[in-house]
Amino acid sequence: MNISSATSAASASYSSAATDTSALEKQKAKLEAELEKVEASKDDEKTKETKTKQLEQQIKQIEAQIAQKSNSSSSSSAAQSAQPEKPADTNLLKAASSAQIAAATTDSEGRFDIRI
């Protein structure tokens, strides 16, 4: 796959995700408007409470879908981009674990002596 086809694939993926997200945003806005109507209605409290809970649950589901779409579009764009080079030397210094730090001792001059 050459660079131009990878770029077009990434942009197509992003634009479809943006379209899906905007449709979900519109649906969420409609549900929020309906929620306001229910709260302002003259129905009895039990009916209002039931309708409010249903609408709030639907809004939460849509918010979760929007978050999922935005995460998947950003991760697919990141996957499409060039992979960072791996370091040539795999014997780099690594941070000590909490168990190793807990087992550390100090020498006569007060310096840490950690065995890894």
Side-chain angles (χ1 to χ4, degrees):
M1 177 182 275
N2 62 26
I3 293 173
S4 62
S5 64
T7 304
S8 64
S11 63
S13 170
Y14 177 76
S15 65
S16 68
T19 304
D20 292 344
T21 303
S22 65
L24 289 170
E25 291 283 355
K26 287 179 184 177
Q27 189 177 0
K28 179 183 168 191
K30 287 180 183 178
L31 288 171
E32 288 173 339
E34 193 174 331
L35 181 63
E36 289 178 11
K37 286 180 186 177
V38 168
E39 291 173 351
S41 72
K42 295 180 180 179
D43 292 337
D44 63 293
E45 290 301 314
K46 188 174 183 180
T47 305
K48 277 186 182 181
E49 184 179 341
T50 304
K51 288 180 180 179
T52 301
K53 284 182 180 180
Q54 289 174 343
L55 290 170
E56 287 174 347
Q57 184 179 12
Q58 290 175 341
I59 290 170
K60 286 179 183 179
Q61 288 174 345
I62 290 174
E63 288 173 344
Q65 290 174 350
I66 291 170
Q68 184 180 14
K69 294 273 185 196
S70 64
N71 287 341
S72 68
S73 68
S74 65
S75 66
S76 67
S77 297
Q80 295 281 338
S81 65
Q83 295 292 327
E85 291 183 26
K86 293 182 180 178
D89 185 14
T90 57
N91 293 329
L92 297 175
L93 294 176
K94 296 178 184 174
S97 69
S98 58
Q100 292 168 329
I101 293 171
T105 57
T106 55
D107 62 9
S108 61
E109 295 176 8
R111 293 179 291 202
F112 279 107
D113 182 20
I114 299 177
R115 304 288 180 205
I116 300 177

